[in-house]
Amino acid sequence: MNDTPGWTSPGSAPSDDQNGSGIPRPTAPSDANGSAPQWSKDQPPAGQWSPPSGQNPPPAPDQGQGRGWGAPPPNPQWGRPPAAKPGVIPLRPLGMGEILDGAVKTLRAYWRTVLAITVTVAVISQIADILAQRYLVPEAPAPSPDATPAEALEQSLEAAQSSLIGLGPALLVTLMASLFSAALLTVVISRAVLGRPVSLGSAWQEARPRLLQLVGLTLLLAALSAGVVLVGLLPGLLIGGSAGVALTLLGGLGSLVAAVWLMIRFSLASPALMLERRGVIQSLKRSAKLVQGAWWRIFGITLLTQLLIFVFAMIIAIPFTILGIAVDGDGFSGLLEGSSTTFGWSFLIITGIGGVITSAITYPISAGVTVLLYVDQRIRREALDLELARAAGLPGYGPAPGDQTVGG
């Protein structure tokens, strides 16, 4: 929409019979003989005027800093009105700090609903993780001090295999917990953008029909990443020898880069599935379209968010881990002796409490950044801010539709 009057649209210039202000140049009046008298020499300087008291004049056209003719100046008294903000973010393209701030504001403003979701999910996931570590994880074989180098290498491989098997249940539980909380938090954050409250029951009712599709989307992305990594590692593993090791390292690095590229490209598929009610494949295509041209920006914001979450998790986890080791006498003594250690219930419970605290804070931040990135990309590409303003019932944007989320 052109918000500038007359010819002063962006990119245009004044005509030859104008003096740069949009006003025709004055012509000298004729006398009775038809000759044009000379203007007085005591004329005020051209183009100068006095602004209203207490205000600053708009910049001259040649001082518009690349805006073009008729573009609004930076002074808020002369420029466009500030963006509407019915909820946790202003309805305009967002910066990285505003996205992170919006996620934190959602946690603060809707803490009852958010913590009810995250604490419940975190407690269930931590209980399942503790039981898996206690009863499903195989005990790592104790290293033999008299082992030959070949036997020591074999023992190290067996210990690594045991650790990977132990990580399997924990990763599966974490994946399901993240998926479940992300589904509910997506609904909460979409309402927070509009400044509307949402209860745990209404969030569950909104998210429940999409859970199976969200599970399918998550498993498909995990299988896609694993397939890409396997394709990169397989040639080197088949060749073997020193050449195979070099090819495995090179293929692993390339496959990791490809997997990261795919994950960022499809990072907005989850909110598209939840809020636009699309299918799995349609959500992947939708995410690829929204991310196109903004991959590096989304990658940077996502990477920074994950680094902040990791630092926060370490700050919480380290004290609880030290406390758990100190309380668990057998584990602490075994750790000092340098032998294989199996921690008891006290260690698992104490570290589980730290995990609940960490998850209760990090789940909404991670989900909030993802959803707000989706909203930001739609504002930049599709003018979603106008639809959100109408949905929030703001004056001047037309009649507000019924109660709806961002994707409605």
Side-chain angles (χ1 to χ4, degrees):
M1 180 177 66
N2 186 8
D3 55 357
T4 53
W7 57 264
T8 55
S9 59
S12 62
S15 59
D16 293 335
D17 63 343
Q18 294 173 337
N19 57 11
S21 62
I23 303 174
R25 292 194 178 106
T27 58
S30 301
D31 57 10
N33 299 326
S35 61
Q38 297 291 328
W39 291 96
S40 172
K41 297 182 179 180
D42 298 330
Q43 293 292 327
Q48 294 186 0
W49 59 283
S50 297
S53 60
Q55 300 184 10
N56 296 323
D62 59 345
Q63 298 175 354
Q65 300 177 356
R67 289 187 179 87
W69 291 86
N75 193 315
Q77 295 183 1
W78 297 94
R80 296 172 180 172
K85 189 179 179 181
V88 295
I89 60 170
L91 301 183
R92 55 170 171 74
L94 304 174
M96 180 177 63
E98 291 173 320
I99 291 176
L100 292 171
D101 183 63
V104 175
K105 283 183 177 178
T106 302
L107 175 60
R108 294 172 55 187
Y110 299 84
W111 64 270
R112 290 183 178 88
T113 302
V114 171
L115 291 183
I117 294 171
T118 56
V119 171
T120 301
V121 173
V123 168
I124 295 175
S125 64
Q126 286 298 324
I127 291 175
D129 185 41
I130 290 173
L131 295 177
Q133 291 187 45
R134 188 63 179 175
Y135 296 110
L136 298 181
V137 176
E139 184 177 354
S144 175
D146 301 328
T148 63
E151 292 174 346
L153 179 59
E154 184 178 356
Q155 291 175 0
S156 300
L157 293 177
E158 291 178 358
Q161 182 180 2
S162 177
S163 300
L164 290 176
I165 294 175
L167 287 176
L171 290 176
L172 181 61
V173 169
T174 302
L175 179 63
M176 291 297 105
S178 301
L179 184 149
F180 185 81
S181 62
L184 296 176
L185 290 172
T186 298
V187 178
V188 175
I189 297 164
S190 67
R191 301 292 180 87
V193 171
L194 302 177
R196 296 180 179 178
V198 56
S199 64
L200 179 60
S202 60
W204 167 251
Q205 184 178 6
E206 182 77 19
R208 181 171 55 86
R210 318 297 300 173
L211 284 178
L212 288 179
Q213 287 184 312
L214 187 60
V215 170
L217 174 64
T218 304
L219 294 179
L220 178 60
L221 290 176
L224 183 62
S225 299
V228 170
V229 173
L230 180 61
V231 169
L233 296 176
L234 191 58
L237 295 176
L238 293 177
I239 293 176
S242 58
V245 172
L247 186 58
T248 299
L249 293 176
L250 184 61
L253 180 61
S255 62
L256 180 61
V257 172
V260 170
W261 182 82
L262 286 175
M263 290 303 99
I264 297 300
R265 182 175 177 82
F266 298 135
S267 61
L268 305 183
S270 175
L273 184 145
M274 294 296 301
L275 300 177
E276 299 183 30
R277 298 173 176 84
R278 295 174 178 262
V280 173
I281 303 301
Q282 290 78 9
S283 298
L284 293 174
K285 294 180 179 179
R286 179 69 165 144
S287 176
K289 181 179 179 180
L290 291 174
V291 173
Q292 185 177 5
W295 190 95
W296 282 108
R297 178 174 179 272
I298 295 176
F299 170 75
I301 295 175
T302 303
L303 179 61
L304 177 61
T305 302
Q306 295 305 316
L307 288 176
L308 293 176
I309 289 175
F310 175 77
V311 171
F312 177 80
M314 290 298 101
I315 292 174
I316 299 298
I318 290 175
F320 279 92
T321 302
I322 296 175
L323 180 61
I325 294 174
V327 171
D328 194 333
D330 295 337
F332 187 72
S333 61
L335 187 65
L336 291 178
E337 295 172 0
S339 61
S340 177
T341 301
T342 301
F343 293 106
W345 283 105
S346 57
F347 174 83
L348 295 177
I349 292 174
I350 292 174
T351 54
I353 294 174
V356 169
I357 296 174
T358 302
S359 300
I361 304 300
T362 57
Y363 281 168
I365 300 300
S366 179
V369 169
T370 300
V371 175
L372 293 180
L373 276 173
Y374 162 83
V375 173
D376 175 61
Q377 286 303 110
R378 288 197 60 186
I379 288 176
R380 292 172 182 270
R381 293 179 179 272
E382 303 170 359
L384 182 66
D385 51 329
L386 302 180
E387 298 182 18
L388 293 177
R390 283 193 292 267
L394 299 180
Y397 290 91
D403 187 16
Q404 62 180 6
T405 57
V406 171

